[in-house]
Amino acid sequence: GPYRRRARCRIDAQLPREREQRLRNGWAATLVSAQTRMAAITRTLTALALALRGCTAAPASNDTYHQVVLSQEEGAACLDGSPPSLYFRAGSGDGASKLLVYHEGGGWCESMEDCADRARGHYGSSAGDGATLADAQGYLSPDPEVNPMMYNWNSVYLRYCDGASFSGNNATLATVPGAAQQLHFKGAANRRAAFHWLLSNASLASMTDVVIAGSSAGALAVYLHLDDWCDGILRAAAAAGAAPSSPPAAVRCVGMPDSGFFLDYEAPNGGLAPPPAGRKELARSSDSTGSSRLATELLPQTTQPGNYRDGLRWAYQQQNASVHPDCRASHASDGAAWSCMFAEHAAPFVHTPLFALQSQYDQWQTDHVLATNTDAALINQMGANITARIFAGLIHPHPANGMFLDACHHHSWYWGNITIDGRVVAQAMAEWYAALPGRGGRSTRPAAASQPQRVWWQQEVYPCAACCANGP
């Protein structure tokens, strides 16, 4: 079949997973530097290997994102007050009218001191950003063998610098106690600035297909703000005459959150232990041309083990975070609108179709929500809770939604590594998307086709090393 031939011809199918493992071993800078120096040799050897296998090399594609510094007219700002930015890569061919919007991930800040520290680095400032980004992987890849559905789409990489999943909405500058430093909590304004730039400069209102994606904290942003994105795009398309004022519309807009279904849970020992030793954040290194390198992200170690609920509640209150309006309204009488910062509480209110990528045994959550990587019984209990809550809030109430729920102990970016029912995520996502109702309410599947699969679920207990490997 076509996917078997793709696997045979796809030499670099495992690169995202290998890169993630190497990054976790703490030598990201060495890896990036070596990849930069060896890029030309790698391309030559890849072409030769493909030729020897009787395969045709994929056509050359644009792998470079160019920086756009966003307007601060409506208050948009990173934590340190620097202007927010996005990186844009233009689509081509039949992807020229299609768009992927990716929200960068990178944890949260959960105290004034934490946010002040964050404001001095990549996840709180744009001061060190380069003019370009390169080396896109997974669902950002321009390689059709790696990313068969979206390889040639317009692609936007939204820089994350507000510390609250693009949700900060506090008009008042915050002063750090005992310091002359002021903090800007403007993630919602940053998101709006990106929307307005895309509308004015990238034909957003004319797009036929839009996927709103993100990983980790960026995936939580998808759960929180997907309806805002897609409803705004539909309104813009209607105003431009590209779509009617009510569905069915000429544009299809969906979500794809990668590892953002964080549980609302506070461990019994939450906040008592110091953060685990390790990297505060992964800085973007640069090659000899000054181009920043995109790499699988390592989350900053900002969350105390076990105190995730209190940390996110602090972020909601301090930043006056914008959350799903229907979720907020449901808590008008109990004062618990802060709970809408959690995907499990926000998901039932999201009306835009989405395809979730999620591990039952999410590695970030075992580290930071459970505060354990050794208690298998507790990790299996967490997996059962994630599974039950994602089905109850995301799948059962919304028949258009889909998901890829694996049993590998990992966190985000496993786009081509795990096989469930004969499909890796890239294939499952494409099949789910193709089966959605098309323009004018018509399905893109043949009329005689059976009910399409929308859930890929790897039903295994923890630990399951084999769950992380690709199939034959």
Side-chain angles (χ1 to χ4, degrees):
Y3 289 114
R4 186 172 297 276
R5 176 170 175 80
R6 274 185 183 160
R8 175 175 173 264
C9 297
R10 188 176 64 226
I11 293 175
D12 62 345
Q14 300 298 317
L15 277 180
R17 182 181 177 207
E18 291 173 1
R19 172 169 295 149
E20 184 171 7
Q21 296 299 326
R22 291 173 180 170
L23 289 173
R24 286 176 183 160
N25 290 335
W27 50 284
T30 302
L31 174 62
V32 169
S33 176
Q35 286 176 331
T36 300
R37 292 193 303 270
M38 296 297 293
I41 296 174
T42 299
R43 285 193 295 269
T44 301
L45 292 176
T46 298
L48 177 60
L50 288 170
L52 290 174
R53 293 184 187 185
C55 301
T56 302
S61 56
N62 177 19
D63 189 29
T64 303
Y65 288 76
H66 296 275
Q67 186 190 36
V68 174
V69 178
L70 296 171
S71 170
Q72 293 187 281
E73 289 183 5
E74 297 184 14
C78 294
L79 283 171
D80 70 337
S82 59
S85 67
L86 60 80
Y87 288 83
F88 182 76
R89 185 182 70 201
S92 62
D94 63 2
S97 63
K98 302 173 182 180
L99 175 69
L100 170 68
V101 177
Y102 169 76
H103 297 74
E104 182 181 38
W108 305 267
C109 58
E110 300 167 0
S111 71
M112 292 298 289
E113 294 76 13
D114 191 9
C115 291
D117 184 60
R118 189 183 183 96
R120 291 187 284 271
H122 173 81
Y123 292 104
S125 174
S126 63
D129 288 0
T132 59
L133 289 177
D135 196 26
Q137 299 292 316
Y139 37 81
L140 301 178
S141 174
D143 184 347
E145 300 294 340
V146 175
N147 188 21
M149 188 177 97
M150 300 180 288
Y151 73 95
N152 65 343
W153 289 25
N154 295 285
S155 187
V156 176
Y157 188 104
L158 295 182
R159 277 278 286 108
Y160 177 39
C161 64
D162 76 293
S165 291
F166 298 84
S167 302
N169 194 33
N170 195 331
T172 303
L173 292 180
T175 301
V176 181
Q181 185 179 6
Q182 289 188 314
L183 298 174
H184 303 249
F185 298 131
K186 304 290 187 180
N190 297 351
R191 191 165 32 84
R192 289 192 296 270
F195 180 91
H196 292 316
W197 185 87
L198 290 168
L199 197 61
S200 300
N201 300 278
S203 303
L204 180 59
S206 300
M207 294 294 166
T208 60
D209 299 78
V210 180
V211 173
I212 306 297
S215 61
S216 193
L220 178 58
V222 176
Y223 285 113
L224 300 182
H225 309 303
L226 176 60
D227 284 348
D228 192 41
W229 269 106
C230 290
D231 290 352
I233 291 169
L234 288 171
R235 286 192 298 268
S245 58
S246 61
V251 58
R252 176 187 292 164
C253 187
V254 304
M256 192 182 73
D258 177 6
S259 305
F261 201 85
F262 298 99
L263 291 183
D264 176 6
Y265 177 76
E266 189 83 359
N269 62 338
L272 298 180
R279 304 157 298 271
K280 285 293 290 184
E281 62 180 83
L282 174 65
R284 301 294 189 195
S285 59
S286 299
D287 60 24
S288 59
T289 66
S291 174
S292 297
R293 307 292 292 177
L294 271 175
T296 303
E297 296 156 296
L298 291 173
L299 297 179
Q301 302 285 359
T302 57
T303 305
Q304 295 276 359
N307 79 332
Y308 179 62
R309 171 189 284 166
D310 281 351
L312 218 57
R313 183 173 184 173
W314 182 91
Y316 171 84
Q317 293 171 337
Q318 179 61 46
Q319 296 216 22
N320 187 36
S322 61
V323 293
H324 197 288
D326 294 341
C327 183
R328 184 194 295 272
S330 73
H331 292 284
S333 62
D334 62 16
W338 59 268
S339 66
C340 298
M341 281 291 285
F342 294 87
E344 66 169 284
H345 301 309
F349 297 94
V350 180
H351 58 255
T352 302
L354 63 83
F355 188 85
L357 285 53
Q358 185 65 46
S359 167
Q360 299 170 80
Y361 312 114
D362 184 281
Q363 188 170 32
W364 194 91
Q365 296 194 60
T366 59
D367 288 347
H368 295 274
V369 178
L370 291 186
T372 179
N373 258 321
T374 59
D375 189 335
L378 188 59
I379 292 172
N380 276 294
Q381 183 180 354
M382 183 193 81
N385 282 332
I386 288 177
T387 300
R389 297 180 193 187
I390 202 168
F391 269 101
L394 190 73
I395 299 299
H396 295 325
H398 303 289
N401 287 351
M403 70 174 174
F404 195 93
L405 184 65
D406 68 73
C408 173
H409 188 224
H410 76 99
H411 183 71
S412 74
W413 285 104
Y414 272 41
W415 185 241
N417 308 90
I418 301 169
T419 300
I420 303 176
D421 298 338
R423 297 290 184 264
V424 295
V425 180
Q427 298 162 355
M429 166 64 184
E431 290 186 12
W432 169 82
Y433 189 80
L436 286 174
R439 285 84 188 164
R442 296 183 298 275
S443 172
T444 56
R445 294 173 63 88
S450 60
Q451 184 69 22
Q453 182 172 352
R454 65 187 183 107
V455 172
W456 285 257
W457 181 16
Q458 195 174 37
Q459 302 180 52
E460 300 291 345
V461 298
Y462 174 89
C464 180
C467 292
C468 301
N470 205 337

